[in-house]
Amino acid sequence: MLATHETSGSRVVILEESYDKLTKLTLKQDELFRQALRCVEHQLFRAAHVLAWAGFMDLLEEKLASDGLVKIRAAYPAWAANAGSIEELREAVVEFQLIQAAKKLGLCSSTEMKALHGMLNKRNECAHPNDFFPDMNITLGYISELLTRVATLQTKTL
């Protein structure tokens, strides 16, 4: 995903390949992932996790709403009152449940759902005060995995 060049006191990181992967995203998703990569460049690794996750979730939520929320309402009748729009659904349903809904609607497998739940937990560790401080390699791996999952999700339809 990245190339490095070692010098006497510094490490120059080239993230162009990661930036190149952002071409098929919406403007909002593109900006969230670009901000995540800029955070990496400035060694703001926890923030990078949070922003990259936000970009991924925006794509997942768009996929869940791609049919006008028809399948979500059918699969989750209790959500119907809160599913007038994707914005309302985002406010009413936690991300963990939205990932479960993606599995139920065929956007991901059981294994992929578990991996996404793990990535959500990693994002939560970065978003809330604790003793977890990811380094550059952990952060770039996280972003790279999300971009791979984005590419897979883009090929799927409800």
Side-chain angles (χ1 to χ4, degrees), residues 115-128:
L116 290 172
H117 282 153
M119 295 187 82
L120 171 60
N121 286 333
K122 184 74 68 183
R123 175 263 182 218
N124 287 341
E125 280 187 292
C126 290
H128 304 289

Side-chain angles (χ1 to χ4, degrees), residues 89-103:
L89 190 65
R90 285 176 176 149
E91 292 295 320
V93 180
V94 296
E95 291 173 340
F96 190 91
Q97 291 176 308
L98 290 174
I99 295 167
Q100 289 176 317
K103 187 229 177 249

Side-chain angles (χ1 to χ4, degrees), residues 14-81:
I14 302 168
L15 298 168
E16 290 177 17
E17 185 177 330
S18 295
Y19 282 114
D20 290 343
K21 291 181 180 180
L22 303 179
T23 59
K24 296 179 183 174
L25 300 174
T26 67
L27 291 175
K28 180 180 180 181
Q29 295 156 10
D30 179 271
E31 183 56 28
L32 288 166
F33 276 103
R34 284 184 188 281
Q35 286 181 24
L37 292 171
R38 282 194 296 273
C39 284
V40 172
E41 291 170 348
H42 295 284
Q43 299 181 14
L44 302 169
F45 304 125
R46 289 170 64 134
H49 278 74
V50 173
L51 287 164
W53 181 257
F56 172 80
M57 281 305 298
D58 190 73
L59 174 68
L60 179 64
E61 292 160 352
E62 277 191 358
K63 283 289 184 178
L64 290 170
S66 63
D67 68 346
L69 297 170
V70 172
K71 290 184 180 176
I72 283 283
R73 288 187 193 107
Y76 297 92
W79 294 0

